[in-house]
Amino acid sequence: MNTESTAYAADLEAIEQVVATVEHSQQHKDPDEFLALFHPDAVWTTAAGKVLIGLDAISEFTRRVLPAADWDGKVNYEVVHVFFIRPDVAAVKVRQLYLTSGDESEGAPLYVMSKQGDGRWLLTACQNTGVVAG
């Protein structure tokens, strides 16, 4: 495997790990774990269309909403597509399932992630979109 292929594979694995950490933070309703994944200047749009600009706004919302969420920890996040816009910027399409007693809701978030100088991938511009059945 050449250096470029190795770097691509490592970046893809790191991106998948960020999504796995999003899933873990949601399962455990852990705002600190979730917020550690964001770029300080990130933009987050919730499934309900609320636009949060910057880590302070994302943090205030997350700390209020996540611990009080009504699902019982059964969530699943799956990376379905990664498009590298540049070597240090990726658009990541995710399938998100929230399972509650006798009910399931699906989301189709898009995470634009950026690679930092230290090699970490962070959530930078994200749109969380609910999927309507039918």
Side-chain angles (χ1 to χ4, degrees):
M1 189 179 279
N2 67 32
T3 305
E4 189 173 303
S5 296
T6 302
Y8 174 83
D11 286 333
L12 195 55
E13 184 178 324
I15 287 167
E16 289 173 347
Q17 183 56 53
V18 169
V19 174
T21 303
V22 170
E23 176 183 275
H24 186 268
S25 71
Q26 299 297 301
Q27 288 172 342
H28 295 91
K29 300 179 184 180
D30 184 341
D32 291 327
E33 183 179 42
F34 181 66
L35 294 167
L37 302 171
F38 283 88
H39 187 280
D41 298 318
V43 176
W44 180 268
T45 304
T46 70
K50 183 171 182 67
V51 178
L52 306 166
I53 299 174
L55 189 54
D56 288 344
I58 296 167
S59 179
E60 185 279 323
F61 177 84
T62 300
R63 291 184 189 288
R64 182 172 38 84
V65 173
L66 185 57
D70 64 357
W71 68 86
D72 60 6
K74 294 178 182 161
V75 298
N76 182 353
Y77 284 65
E78 173 191 1
V79 173
V80 293
H81 184 73
V82 176
F83 169 60
F84 285 93
I85 298 166
R86 299 186 333 206
D88 61 341
V89 178
V92 182
K93 195 64 185 165
V94 175
R95 182 170 186 243
Q96 159 194 88
L97 295 174
Y98 285 86
L99 310 168
T100 58
S101 59
D103 194 19
E104 177 178 296
S105 64
E106 183 175 347
L110 176 65
Y111 300 158
V112 176
M113 300 172 74
S114 58
K115 187 176 183 178
Q116 306 307 292
D118 63 5
R120 291 179 306 139
W121 283 88
L122 295 178
L123 299 170
T124 305
C126 305
Q127 172 78 40
N128 194 1
T129 303
V131 174
V132 178

